Amino acid sequence: MLHTLMSSPFQCDYYLLLRMLQPDDDLLLMQDGVLAGLQNNRLLPQLLQSPARLWALEEDVVARGLTAQISSKITVIDYNDFVMLTVKQQQQMPW
């Protein structure tokens, strides 16, 4: 399943999201969801321990001026890669 975190992790049920992630899942951080991937963020350690593959949408990271602050353990991708994720994961869950 492709999970897309579009809202700030402080404005959604972030812990439910973490519990829902499975080993074959992908989690894409986009819009304000990229805040979950910031280095030194208190929520980041739990995210990095999740079984899902972690991605962040480059355009949203750049738009917020956070390029240098995104964790190196999260892969930053463009819209073409986002399309590939949607093809790969036919089921999606927005957060």
Side-chain angles (χ1 to χ4, degrees):
M1 180 175 293
L2 174 60
H3 298 265
T4 52
L5 179 59
M6 296 180 280
S7 60
S8 166
F10 302 102
Q11 296 179 335
C12 71
D13 195 341
Y14 185 73
Y15 295 104
L16 177 60
L17 164 62
L18 293 175
R19 287 192 307 272
M20 296 288 294
L21 296 174
Q22 300 296 314
D24 289 332
D25 289 349
D26 291 290
L27 172 61
L28 176 62
L29 308 176
M30 54 193 302
Q31 299 175 8
D32 286 342
V34 299
L35 298 174
L38 294 178
Q39 298 172 18
N40 301 321
N41 172 3
R42 67 181 174 89
L43 302 175
L44 183 62
Q46 295 129 340
L47 181 62
L48 295 176
Q49 292 174 2
S50 79
R53 289 172 296 278
L54 306 174
W55 315 90
L57 194 59
E58 179 180 31
E59 286 80 359
D60 291 328
V61 172
V62 171
R64 287 156 181 78
L66 301 173
T67 304
Q69 298 171 352
I70 289 291
S71 170
S72 61
K73 297 184 189 293
I74 296 176
T75 305
V76 178
I77 61 172
D78 62 19
Y79 275 106
N80 290 328
D81 296 320
F82 179 20
V83 171
M84 296 302 291
L85 283 176
T86 62
V87 170
K88 174 185 163 198
Q89 299 283 7
Q90 294 182 0
Q91 292 184 325
Q92 297 182 29
M93 174 70 75
W95 295 89

